[in-house]
Each structure stands twice: as C-alpha cells, then as structure tokens.
Amino acid sequence: MTPPPYRITPAGHHAIRKIQHAQDMEPHRAKRSAPPGPTEQFDIGSAADSLQRMQQYFAQFGDVFRVYAPGRRRDTWVVSNPDAVKRVLVTNHRNYTKGVGMDRVKILLGNGIIVSEGEFWRRQRRMIQPAFHRRVIERFGALIAQCNQQRLELWERKAAQQQSINITAEMSELTLEIVLRSIFGRDLDLMTDAAGDNPFAVVTREPARNLPFAFRFRSLTKHVIEAIQRRRAVPDEHDFDFLGMLMSAVDDDGLPMSERELVDEIMTLIVAGHETTASVLNWAWYLLATHPQAEAALHAELAVAPSTDPSLKATESLAYTSQIVHEALRLYPPVWVVTRRTIEADHLAGYAVPAGTDVFLSPYLIHRHPAHWDDPESFRPERFTAEAEQARHRYAYFPFAAGPRHCVGETFAVFEMVMHLSMAARRFRLHLHPPEAAQQPIEFEALINLRTQRDLHMRLQRR
Ligand code: HEM
C-alpha cells in the first residue's frame, strides 16, 4: 500500500532536524564495549571469500562485528547500520581516509581520484566534477545510443542465425566501448588503427584482476600520453569528450593538470566506468530472464514510451526501467564493500571505535538487511518508486557511496544502463541458455567488483 501524500510543516522540519542532530550526536554518548566477532583471525577484504565470510559473520554477530586481520595487524569492523554509513561517509567523513585495498588499486590507477587523499584529492575532484554535471552528461546521449545501436545490429545477425550470445562478454565490450569513446572521442580510432586493435580490449579479454593484469593495464598509459601529446600539438581539433574536458580544466590557481595527473585520472575513469556498469547490466539481464513478470512490466513501459529519443530526460522518464537498474544495483552492488580507516577514535552504532581501525560498510549486506528491506532476497523493482524510497532510511541504499567522495559518474552510469536496457528490450527477449541454467543457483565472485562467477549465455528472441 502506498502511504497518503503529506506535507511537512516548518515546525515539522525543525523537529526532524532536531531528531537528525540527536541521531548524529547519539554515537558520542553511547560507549559500549568492543563488538562481538569471531575468535579466528582473517584478512577480511583481501581474501577471495571475504564477502561470504562477512555474510556468515553478519548472520552470527549482527550489525557490528570485529575481525582481527593479521596481514594488516589491526582490527576490521564491519558495520551494517545506515546511521553509521551516514556518519562515516557524510557527517564525519573528515575523520576517515580510504582504507584497505588502496595499495593494490594504486598499482592500477597511480594517484587518480579514487586513490588520492586530502588537498590533492580535493583539487582533482573540483577539476573533474564539472565534466560529470548533468548538463554535460546529457551531451553523451547520442554517443551512448550509437554504441548500443551498433551492438544491437550484431545481435540481430546472431538472432537470425539462432546463435546464443555471451551476455557477460557483451556487456563488458559495450560498456568499454561507451566509456572509451566518451573519453577519447575520435582518438580511439587513431589508437586502434595504430595498434591494429583496440589497445584497451585487454580489459574485457583478460578476466583476471591480479598483479600481472595491473602491470599490463598500466602499460596502456603510453596510448593516453600519445593522445594528450597529439592534442597539445594540434589544439581545438577535437570534439567534445572527457579527455578534452580534463585537459582544459584548471585549478583555483588557474593551473591545468600535468601529463602524469591526466594519465592517472583517465586510467581511473576507464576502470571505474567500465566494469561496474558491465556487471550491473549482466546481473540485470539475469534477473529479467528469471523474472518474467518484471520483464513483462518492462515491455509494457517501453510500449508506450517514445522510441527514438536518447536524451537524459527521456531516459529518466522510463520509471520502471530505472527501477530495474536500481533493484539490480541493490541486489548486486558492484562495489560490494566501501572501506575506510579512522583517523581519530570515533563512535559508530553505539560502540567506541579506536583510531586506526579499518571500517567496512558493505552495500551488499546493508542492501539485504532485513530491518530495512522487506523480503530482501527477492527481486522487486517496485522498491524504487518515489514513495517507497521516501519511506526508507536514506542510507539503507548506497551503491554509489555517499558524501563528498560519492561516485562522480553516477548520472552517467544510470543514464547508460537505463538506455541500454530500454533499447535492447524493445527489440529482444533474452533467455538463459541452456534453459536449465535458470534452475541453477547463481554464484558470484566478489573481488574488485561483484561479478557472476561464470559468464552467462543467453538466447536472443526477436520481439
Ligand atoms: C554501476 C556503476 C557504478 C557504480 C556502482 C559505482 C560505484 C562507486 C562507488 C561506491 C564509489 C565510491 C568508492 C569509495 O569511496 O570507496 C565510486 C567512486 C568513483 N566512481 Fe563510480 N561507480 C559506477 C560507475 C562509474 C562511472 C561510469 C564512472 C566514470 C565514468 C565512475 C567514476 C568514479 C570515480 C572517478 C570515483 C572516485 C570519486 C572520488 O573518490 O572522488 N563510476 N563509484
């Protein structure tokens, strides 16, 4: 049942602010002893089965538990409480640095915006953020539509020949194409011509995310440097794209980014912008293939929506398609854990947290927390109607994190994902192949991103 619409009076707003203030202050008053946790030691966050262990401990110990990580010689606290999410990421974010895993990410991304801290991070964020403003993102609509169009033509041919597709690989290739074209524009063709192949294709062809991959990926920086130097030699020749925007951005002193800084930020956008969206779309197709009612509701929405408008506004007006994307993000958030480390001692969920503690906030656990989600394991896109969202804790859902370091690419990502689903579902139904795959439980792999453990294959049915 939807709650009746109501208006909050000024006095009501005042009361809410008082409650919110009291909630923010609450942790300072509560000083329970250390939280429970397993006696075993475990490098949670580094081991391949970290998410499975976190689920197991959550079931055993609840919202706050503590595990000693011998590799880091410190405790990790896993806190599954939306008030704590707000405190760590928003209201008290200054007391936290980025935590576990950053050393490994640094090998991949240098000192790009995902890794950097302090004044340098602030400078870079201020220079990058305008490129992700809605008004700018809007301009990528035609490009995203075109990449989809080309992919769907390939699907047409495969469908005509009764061939199934590897949807996991398809989503990876599509989202890589979109992010690379958005970054490099026509330079992508120059790079591809010069190298005889898209040099960045290794990202989709090589599934491992280990040290050898990191070094291979890092060797691609030479193509970025060449593109920067080419543009510096012949300015103004380029269309609108992220590289162009980042090259012309200046800091508060009027200084542009150095070549090294540009390279790190571009490599960051490639990694951040590709695997995340690919993984959500892969999961979304799986969920649609296993939930025919939701698929029918999607088709019903698309049947009455204008079909050829790739604008941000038209895409956002596809309410149910957007809800599918958010429900896929709820169940399978690619960034399944957000890691931070306390600078000074803090108080979270009633416990005193010592300085230097690794604090893990897991979208995966909180998105399935039974206190915040009704029947959390089931796929129900209606959870994301405006009314349902209003009735929920604001921080019970945070696939893009929150606060000053929230995902800068959120609008771009949602635009891209909704547009893909809407364009593809207008033309095709996707069925798991072989059909028995629908009866088997799906397994995930939670490494850098939350992915399906195996590639999914689908049969295309022309609608
Ligand atoms: C489904 C898609 C995506 C998801 C779920 C996602 C999620 C996230 C999350 C959770 C963070 C914060 C990590 C942390 O603070 O520890 C983040 C940061 C970031 N994301 Fe995304 N992301 C997505 C797509 C994108 C895209 C498409 C781009 C760019 C093209 C992007 C660029 C970034 C950048 C640059 C940061 C670092 C921001 C900062 O630290 O200031 N992301 N993302």
Side-chain angles (χ1 to χ4, degrees):
M1 222 177 71
T2 43
Y6 61 89
R7 277 179 167 274
I8 303 173
T9 60
H13 276 297
H14 180 66
I16 290 168
R17 273 197 299 275
K18 266 177 76 176
I19 293 167
Q20 279 169 345
H21 179 70
Q23 282 173 347
D24 286 346
M25 299 312 289
E26 172 62 19
H28 292 289
R29 280 198 288 275
K31 284 189 187 136
R32 273 189 271 168
S33 55
T39 46
E40 64 187 336
Q41 302 185 348
F42 182 64
D43 278 335
I44 203 156
S46 311
D49 61 342
S50 289
L51 179 53
Q52 286 87 343
R53 291 277 194 118
M54 277 165 53
Q55 283 179 283
Q56 186 192 318
Y57 296 147
F58 174 71
Q60 205 177 338
F61 303 111
D63 283 11
V64 188
F65 59 83
R66 185 178 68 147
V67 191
Y68 184 76
R72 300 193 289 275
R73 284 199 247 127
R74 65 182 72 223
D75 276 333
T76 304
W77 289 38
V78 180
V79 186
S80 302
N81 170 311
D83 285 331
V85 171
K86 181 178 174 190
R87 183 161 177 83
V88 173
L89 300 181
V90 188
T91 48
N92 200 25
H93 71 91
R94 282 181 203 284
N95 190 45
Y96 290 84
T97 58
K98 290 212 122 178
V100 175
M102 281 305 124
D103 296 344
R104 273 175 297 160
V105 179
K106 227 175 191 149
I107 299 172
L108 210 58
L109 307 178
N111 204 24
I113 188 179
I114 286 189
V115 178
S116 58
E117 300 270 10
E119 214 25 69
F120 181 70
W121 166 78
R122 246 181 298 282
R123 169 188 186 254
Q124 297 300 103
R125 176 97 192 190
R126 271 208 291 269
M127 289 167 91
I128 292 172
Q129 187 141 310
F132 285 89
H133 191 279
R134 287 180 60 82
R135 276 197 306 276
V136 180
I137 293 308
E138 225 158 43
R139 298 179 57 191
F140 286 104
L143 183 143
I144 300 172
Q146 194 193 359
C147 292
N148 274 290
Q149 190 58 33
Q150 282 167 0
R151 179 76 28 191
L152 294 177
E153 277 154 26
L154 275 173
W155 287 14
E156 292 284 0
R157 289 202 284 282
K158 298 224 175 177
Q161 293 162 4
Q162 317 269 322
Q163 283 179 24
S164 64
I165 54 169
N166 176 338
I167 191 72
T168 313
E170 291 285 328
M171 293 303 95
S172 181
E173 286 167 23
L174 172 69
T175 54
L176 184 67
E177 173 84 13
I178 291 173
V179 83
L180 291 177
R181 291 227 167 262
S182 317
I183 292 171
F184 297 115
R186 282 178 294 174
D187 272 332
L188 183 64
D189 298 322
L190 296 179
M191 287 175 196
T192 306
D193 290 348
D197 191 6
N198 177 351
F200 293 93
V202 58
V203 177
T204 65
R205 291 184 196 148
E206 174 53 63
R209 291 294 176 260
N210 49 19
L211 216 53
F213 171 80
F215 287 120
R216 255 185 101 183
F217 181 73
R218 212 52 211 164
S219 74
L220 299 173
T221 54
K222 65 172 180 283
H223 301 285
V224 184
I225 293 171
E226 276 165 20
I228 295 169
Q229 290 175 349
R230 210 167 25 239
R231 290 184 185 205
R232 283 197 174 141
V234 192
D236 288 330
E237 178 221 4
H238 290 277
D239 287 336
F240 150 89
D241 54 37
F242 284 121
L243 178 58
M245 286 188 272
L246 263 50
M247 283 180 71
S248 51
V250 288
D251 66 12
D252 293 346
D253 298 325
L255 296 172
M257 287 189 215
S258 69
E259 184 175 285
R260 172 91 265 152
E261 288 159 3
L262 277 169
V263 167
D264 286 351
E265 301 306 358
I266 292 297
M267 298 305 268
T268 297
L269 292 184
I270 296 172
V271 168
H274 158 246
E275 201 162 281
T276 44
T277 42
S279 158
V280 178
L281 287 174
N282 184 43
W283 285 110
W285 281 119
Y286 167 78
L287 290 164
L288 283 171
T290 49
H291 295 83
Q293 275 187 348
E295 190 196 32
L298 168 66
H299 292 160
E301 172 169 273
L302 297 176
V304 293
S307 65
T308 51
D309 184 356
S311 70
L312 183 57
K313 213 166 152 213
T315 308
E316 284 175 344
S317 73
L318 297 170
Y320 193 74
T321 320
S322 307
Q323 288 165 28
I324 290 171
V325 166
H326 285 293
E327 181 66 343
L329 274 161
R330 179 186 73 84
L331 283 167
Y332 302 107
V335 183
W336 53 276
V337 65
V338 175
T339 65
R340 294 290 187 269
R341 184 169 287 172
T342 50
I343 298 171
E344 309 263 331
D346 197 7
H347 293 87
L348 294 176
Y351 290 98
V353 194
T357 304
D358 284 328
V359 175
F360 283 16
L361 306 166
S362 168
Y364 187 94
L365 292 182
I366 298 178
H367 289 180
R368 292 170 186 245
H369 196 307
H372 303 284
W373 303 91
D374 187 22
D375 193 9
E377 303 297 319
S378 67
F379 174 64
R380 289 195 206 156
E382 314 70 54
R383 296 180 202 273
F384 289 92
T385 58
E387 297 81 16
E389 280 186 306
Q390 248 178 20
R392 206 165 34 236
H393 193 302
R394 157 75 184 78
Y395 297 97
Y397 177 68
F398 64 115
F400 295 100
R405 290 202 81 138
H406 77 273
C407 177
V408 80
E410 174 173 354
T411 306
F412 186 89
V414 175
F415 187 20
E416 171 186 5
M417 294 188 289
V418 174
M419 180 153 6
H420 168 71
L421 282 187
S422 68
M423 286 182 71
R426 271 178 213 282
R427 281 158 77 166
F428 297 100
R429 290 189 69 196
L430 270 60
H431 306 275
L432 278 165
H433 180 77
E436 305 81 64
Q439 314 314 324
Q440 289 153 10
I442 184 100
E443 302 206 11
F444 62 68
E445 174 195 86
L447 297 172
I448 293 182
N449 285 310
L450 185 70
R451 305 192 290 199
T452 51
Q453 199 177 59
R454 289 194 190 79
D455 284 6
L456 303 178
H457 295 262
M458 302 254 172
R459 181 172 61 79
L460 293 162
Q461 181 193 352
R462 191 73 172 86
R463 290 187 60 213

